[in-house]
Amino acid sequence: MFIKPRYESTELQLLRYLSKRMNLTDKEKQYYVNLKKGYEGELSFDMLLENLSDEWLILSDLLLEVNNTMFQIDSLLVSRHSIFLFEVKNYEGDYYIDADKWYSVASGNEIKDPLLQLKRSEFLLRRLLQDLNFNFSIEAYLIFISPKFTLYQAPRNLPIIFPTQLHYFMKNLNKKSSKLNEKHSGFAELLVNKHLNDSSFTQVPNYDYEQLRKGVICKCCYSFLISREENKLVCAKCLCKEDIESAILRNVEQLTLLFPDKKVTTNLVHEWCEAIVSKKRVWRILTKNFRKVGQGKFSYYVHLPKS
Ligand SMILES: [Zn+2]
């Protein structure tokens, strides 16, 4: 049972929109691609976890702090006797280990040892459990999720689950499940409450409104090739159709995520959507879905309070 679901990070969303609306440097592109790939790997692992019985409490993507040190956990499972900690890697290609160091076969370069990251998270989680007076044991594993990944010269005793082993690993986990009690659910709840929202997007490039390409982006393939067809917007690239209202609102969400300080006005949204619909239509959509603040030409729109 998922207690805490996984969401796409704001950083990843920002980079996705920026990658469409401005030119990223090769380094920025590479960072975005890696971030996206990592997230997709985590989602694939979530799909495997979905097959576990409801006796497992699953917490995805936790950012925790102990002793002023932050650490991130891709997936954490609470079972009767142990806490399972998973670091998910979506690496593709051939790698090898030599004298405890990891290398990419393609480049011959040393890469960051992902086991060190796992050990760090395990250590900090143990500290946190001690602080919170829980005495669960921890089992930590590095998960390689992509079937396109190969690791040569890996000792057999490493806490690694390879793509070919995932099926049996999950099957065995399910065999282990057993009744949980209030202590377990209390612990899971406590971790959810301790989860921090990270607002440091240090890897997002600088950008400004004038510089970004305007226009509606397709919800399916993120292209700009959108044309109107009665009440729908149609993507010329992937033929995906979307109601005009939902497409405009989605692009307003992008606008407010990219520019949280900008006041949402009819003119701004009209320009941002490259006049794909009339100002009157934009005004109607905003009036219906947002709260209007002020009057006349100084009015702008804010989100309706969540009911
Ligand atoms: Zn499309």
Side-chain angles (χ1 to χ4, degrees), residues 55-99:
E55 288 170 7
W56 291 84
L57 304 180
I58 308 166
L59 295 101
S60 308
D61 196 19
L62 287 168
L63 183 67
L64 301 166
E65 188 179 7
V66 65
N67 274 37
N68 296 320
T69 309
M70 297 231 275
F71 65 109
Q72 191 256 334
I73 294 174
D74 288 339
S75 290
L76 185 137
L77 304 192
V78 181
S79 73
R80 188 173 178 88
H81 299 292
S82 324
I83 304 294
F84 287 81
L85 175 106
F86 298 111
E87 174 65 36
V88 181
K89 293 289 181 209
N90 196 10
Y91 291 3
E92 289 178 3
D94 296 348
Y95 294 82
Y96 65 95
I97 298 180
D98 188 22

Side-chain angles (χ1 to χ4, degrees), residues 218-223 226 235-240:
C218 168
K219 69 168 178 176
C220 307
C221 72
Y222 302 105
S223 91
I226 302 283
C235 173
K237 194 172 172 193
C238 75
L239 303 179
C240 179

Side-chain angles (χ1 to χ4, degrees), residues 142-158:
L142 186 60
I143 305 282
F144 286 103
I145 194 83
S146 170
K148 294 177 193 159
F149 172 80
T150 305
L151 183 64
Y152 295 101
Q153 294 162 225
R156 273 203 323 214
N157 59 353
L158 296 179

